[in-house]
Amino acid sequence: MSVPPSVRTRLLLAGRPAVVFGGASEAVPLAERDGALLAWLALEGATARSRLALLLWPDSGLAAARNSLRQRLFKLRRQFGTDLVDGDDTLTLAPGVVHDLAPGEGVLGAQPVRIGGEFGQWLEAQRARRRGRARSALESQADAAERSRDWAAALSHAHELLALEPLSEAAHRRAMRLHYLAGDRAAALLAFDRCERVLKDEVGARPDAETVALLAMIERDAAPGPARGITSAAAIAITRPPRFVARGRELAALQTAVRAGRHTLVIGEGGLGKSRLLAEFLAARDGGAAGLAPVGARPGDADVPYALFARLMRALLAAGHRPDAALAPELARFVPELGESAATRFEPGRFDDVAERYLLALPRTDATAIAIDDLHFADTASVELITRLLAVPAMPPLVLGLRPADGVGALVALQEAATELSGCERVVLAPFTEPQLAELVDSLGIAGLRGAALAAPLLRHTGGNPQFVLETLRTLLAEHGIAGLGSALTGGMLPVPAGVGAMIERRLKRLSPAALKLARLAAIAGGDFDAPLAVQALGGDLLDWADPWAELEAAQVLGPHGFAHDLVGETVRSGVPRA
């Protein structure tokens, strides 16, 4: 790329670093260290070449760092055909080069920059200072909107504050208060639920006294809900049913296994209640490994080695379990708050040895257990470490919540290892039966909802998945109210709630091409679908389609009489390509 020197150059440095020339609409990405160099010059101005070199290559000697800087500048000019940096012994941005680093903007996005030393400290200070300015501006705007009773604008600013500082209880309290003042008590209570969940998941803490007092005030002022639509109480009950129902047998099996010191895998498709079962299990005990709530893997962990183990370590640290000084440097590689990390080269085997020694040293009682939820989202390194721990004698019982795994990979290997080990149990969650669905609906305590009348149509629609049932009820109550709920359930087409549809789509994406083709044929054929039709329409012979058919049954897409339930059928039909 060659750029005439007269063309104005704009550096995009508030987010991921890039450069735009003239009136072009396309930004050209910059390498991480190039972005760091240009961000420093944009904010600090003219800087000696030798100082810049040591800032950007803090682990190199001066001569090597200066050589690296010279090569970067040469490559920058060759890439763009013009200078972005000017000067010899002292460097500045070239004339005509502008940037987007206004006082309220970030610097180089939110991602960590892999340059340590003084530059890393400078970057963190810049980001913190700018977050503070942005926070102050948003707080002023939210306060002004609240004084003028412009609830929509005030809530918009409050949500921006939460996005900026998701762990700020003051920001969560502001959202609770504004929802309540706007007349939406249900949203205020849900805002507290989000606050409680974020604090538990991220730092293992509970809301403070001020937040709990605000919650109590909102709960006391229980204004009646509207006649139509979803009321405050209904919204809260559907988000988290007040009673734990229909899983007593599974809970007892889990308690028996842990009392015997056995590891347990709680396996079930999304929405079947793994997380609620784990939470009830720990709530019924006198504290697990230091009274930990379940530690969960999250979407995105797969790309970060030991992300799940680091989260578990932080939960244990918050509970007061600091590792022995001899173990801390190795563990600090992934949990920096433990102090200086080991200077030796990283070796996964050695790290896993240290992790094992740390967990074996946890204080043990009959109630000790470590619960890890959503293991299907976890990174491979953490899954392989957990697989190893399952075979370690005297390891505290591990209670692992996960979805069924197929094919190959670390999660499949873990399940296979658990099957072969004598010290492991499996608790497999099945969909609810019609009586269990009736119990679930009645447990919500919503006036006008009768489980005996609603269980059968809900079972047909959802296949007995409790989360699908709750989301369907939420959608129907919002659209039809209590009065119209019965006729909506029995009148034919029911809604596919957005979250449920996305969950089923993820399940369908895991299917092989042949199984997906067979499922789409079932969606098109409806009641005419059977094995001879599959052979006639798709070719091959009956044995060619035996494995894809079995795959659909194992994935709970097909059942004995067609689709496992209406929601799966509707989602498959919506994904059939147009003719």
Side-chain angles (χ1 to χ4, degrees):
M1 173 187 292
S2 180
V3 179
S6 60
V7 173
R8 191 165 179 262
T9 303
R10 179 172 174 79
L11 301 176
L12 305 181
L13 301 172
R16 291 188 179 276
V19 59
V20 178
F21 294 97
S25 59
E26 185 175 355
V28 183
L30 287 163
E32 179 182 81
R33 215 170 292 259
D34 293 339
L37 163 67
L38 296 169
W40 177 279
L41 292 177
L43 294 174
E44 299 295 333
T47 305
R49 179 184 288 262
S50 57
R51 174 159 165 68
L52 264 175
L54 290 174
L55 279 169
L56 297 173
W57 286 272
D59 297 326
S60 301
L62 178 58
R66 285 177 65 94
N67 184 53
S68 297
L69 176 59
R70 183 168 58 253
Q71 292 177 15
R72 291 305 319 162
L73 294 173
F74 174 78
K75 289 178 180 177
L76 265 179
R77 175 168 180 78
R78 187 173 63 181
Q79 180 182 0
F80 298 117
T82 188
D83 286 320
L84 301 180
V85 177
D86 192 28
D88 293 318
D89 291 335
T90 300
L91 301 181
T92 63
L93 292 181
V97 174
V98 297
H99 59 82
D100 65 345
L101 290 176
E105 297 291 339
V107 185
L108 302 179
Q111 299 301 315
V113 174
R114 292 163 294 186
I115 304 172
E118 184 183 349
F119 181 87
Q121 296 170 4
W122 170 84
L123 179 60
E124 185 51 43
Q126 283 285 339
R127 288 173 168 173
R129 201 157 44 238
R130 287 158 179 270
R131 280 196 302 270
R133 291 196 201 107
R135 182 181 62 250
S136 296
L138 287 170
E139 287 172 346
S140 298
Q141 292 166 344
D143 289 340
E146 184 175 344
R147 285 193 297 271
S148 63
R149 303 177 68 82
D150 184 352
W151 307 123
L155 279 166
S156 175
H157 297 315
H159 292 148
E160 288 181 78
L161 279 165
L162 278 173
L164 186 67
E165 295 189 331
L167 297 180
S168 166
E169 282 198 63
H172 283 283
R173 284 194 296 272
R174 182 188 293 271
M176 291 169 62
R177 185 181 71 252
L178 289 171
H179 279 301
Y180 179 73
L181 292 173
D184 195 343
R185 180 173 170 272
L189 294 169
L190 291 173
F192 173 82
D193 288 344
R194 283 191 292 273
C195 171
E196 186 178 44
R197 186 169 59 251
V198 166
L199 292 175
K200 180 186 76 172
D201 290 347
E202 295 295 334
V203 295
R206 296 181 181 277
D208 64 22
E210 185 177 353
T211 306
V212 173
L214 176 60
L215 170 69
M217 184 275 293
I218 294 171
E219 287 179 325
R220 282 195 302 272
D221 188 7
R228 179 179 176 82
I230 187 163
T231 65
S232 304
I236 298 164
I238 288 174
T239 300
R240 182 180 173 84
R243 287 197 293 114
F244 178 66
V245 300
R247 294 293 189 206
R249 183 171 57 83
E250 291 84 352
L251 179 59
L254 184 52
Q255 291 170 328
T256 299
V258 172
R259 276 197 298 268
R262 300 167 71 84
H263 307 303
T264 309
L265 275 59
V266 179
I267 302 174
E269 287 289 352
L272 290 183
K274 298 182 297 298
S275 298
R276 182 67 184 265
L277 177 61
L278 264 61
E280 294 292 331
F281 162 73
L282 288 184
R285 304 176 69 76
D286 297 328
L292 291 177
V295 173
R298 301 174 194 159
D301 281 359
D303 298 326
V304 185
Y306 292 102
L308 173 59
F309 179 75
R311 195 170 296 121
L312 173 62
M313 277 286 305
R314 290 189 171 96
L316 289 166
L317 288 174
H321 296 290
R322 192 169 183 86
D324 182 88
L327 306 180
E330 191 68 29
L331 297 174
R333 295 180 188 275
F334 296 98
V335 188
E337 51 266 48
L338 285 172
E340 193 73 24
S341 62
T344 56
R345 178 172 166 272
F346 174 69
E347 297 178 12
R350 172 175 169 74
F351 180 82
D352 290 355
D353 287 342
V354 170
E356 176 186 319
R357 288 163 58 195
Y358 168 63
L359 294 176
L360 284 172
L362 291 174
R364 295 288 300 274
T365 70
D366 289 342
T368 300
I370 298 175
I372 300 176
D373 199 9
D374 292 328
L375 195 61
H376 44 277
F377 292 133
D379 60 281
T380 297
S382 293
V383 174
E384 290 177 344
L385 171 58
I386 292 169
T387 304
R388 164 183 169 154
L389 297 176
L390 292 176
V392 175
M395 179 61 57
L398 301 174
V399 180
L400 309 175
L402 66 156
R403 295 176 187 167
D406 50 20
V408 296
L411 201 60
V412 174
L414 180 144
Q415 294 193 49
E416 291 174 348
T419 302
E420 295 171 0
L421 290 168
S422 59
C424 291
E425 297 283 351
R426 291 161 61 93
V427 174
V428 179
L429 301 187
F432 280 9
T433 61
E434 187 173 326
Q436 289 173 324
L437 283 183
E439 185 183 2
L440 173 64
V441 173
D442 290 338
S443 77
L444 301 178
I446 300 175
L449 288 193
R450 290 176 48 247
L454 302 179
L458 285 171
L459 180 62
R460 285 195 301 272
H461 187 56
T462 66
N465 184 301
Q467 182 176 337
F468 294 178
V469 167
L470 295 172
E471 291 300 327
T472 298
L473 287 175
R474 183 198 304 277
T475 303
L476 289 172
L477 286 170
E479 293 178 356
H480 302 283
I482 296 289
L485 183 63
S487 58
L489 277 168
T490 56
M493 276 309 232
L494 292 174
V496 179
V500 172
M503 188 180 297
I504 296 173
E505 285 173 1
R506 287 195 294 271
R507 191 190 308 176
L508 296 176
K509 285 179 181 177
R510 299 201 300 267
L511 296 174
S512 67
L516 183 58
K517 185 182 291 186
L518 191 62
R520 286 174 171 172
L521 175 63
I524 295 168
D528 296 327
F529 177 71
D530 58 16
L533 177 65
V535 173
Q536 181 183 352
L538 301 176
D541 58 37
L542 201 58
L543 287 177
D544 293 331
W545 296 101
D547 287 342
W549 200 301
E551 183 182 347
L552 292 175
E553 291 180 336
Q556 297 179 12
V557 174
L558 288 185
H561 308 290
F563 284 109
H565 53 82
D566 294 347
L567 286 173
V568 171
E570 286 300 313
T571 306
V572 174
R573 270 189 288 276
S574 69
V576 174
R578 294 174 63 105

